[in-house]
Amino acid sequence: MMRRTKAAMGALTLAAFMLGVGAGRQAKAQAAPDKPIVRIAELEIDPARIEQYKAYLREEIAASVAQEPGVLSLSAVAIAGKPTSIRLLEVYASDAAYQAHLKTPHFLKYKQGTADMVQSLRLIETEPVMLCAKGGGSYC
């Protein structure tokens, strides 16, 4: 019975994510379409499945950074002392790059594969202030 509840929560989380994507996309598209998109995702993962979740996450991040020119940076961390509290910092070159990312096979595999592992998901829209990394970039 508990398993069903977690699967249902995962499906609801995925549905909420996709609805949030649509709302965020409309707001961003009306703003500046070639402006970098920076998002923060706060996730809580089923403790019994954290290692399986991290395997999916590693695969998705590696593929996204290697294969997608518009993915400038993807970073994942856990809150100190809370290994199932995952935070993602995502930086995309533009809204178009972000939208393209959402349709890639590796992202869809990650979302579908982890849907029943994610107990909660909160997406935070941001306004970039300063984006800079070693190696330069046009936003330093």
Side-chain angles (χ1 to χ4, degrees):
M1 185 69 159
M2 182 116 180
R3 190 74 151 149
R4 229 182 214 170
T5 303
K6 287 181 182 177
M9 287 176 64
L12 288 173
T13 299
L14 181 59
F17 171 78
M18 296 311 282
L19 285 173
V21 165
R25 177 175 58 216
Q26 289 174 344
K28 295 286 182 201
Q30 293 171 354
D34 58 351
K35 179 180 172 185
I37 301 297
V38 180
R39 301 190 70 159
I40 299 169
E42 297 179 339
L43 298 98
E44 296 298 326
I45 308 302
D46 177 357
R49 302 190 63 200
I50 187 65
E51 293 307 317
Q52 186 181 10
Y53 172 81
K54 288 192 299 188
Y56 270 102
L57 183 62
R58 280 186 205 99
E59 182 181 335
E60 197 283 325
I61 287 176
S64 296
V65 171
Q67 299 171 22
E68 298 178 63
V71 174
L72 303 180
S73 171
L74 293 176
S75 298
V77 298
I79 301 296
K82 297 180 180 182
T84 61
S85 295
I86 303 295
R87 302 301 183 259
L88 305 175
L89 177 64
E90 309 170 11
V91 183
Y92 304 93
S94 64
D95 185 58
Y98 175 65
Q99 297 310 316
H101 169 72
L102 296 177
K103 296 173 186 164
T104 61
H106 49 269
F107 177 77
L108 295 172
K109 177 182 176 183
Y110 160 80
K111 287 308 288 184
Q112 293 164 358
T114 63
D116 65 344
M117 299 176 201
V118 177
Q119 295 178 330
S120 70
L121 169 64
R122 179 175 169 229
L123 297 173
I124 302 169
E125 298 293 332
T126 71
E127 289 294 328
V129 174
M130 174 59 103
L131 303 175
C132 194
K134 290 197 183 271
S138 58
Y139 306 108
C140 289

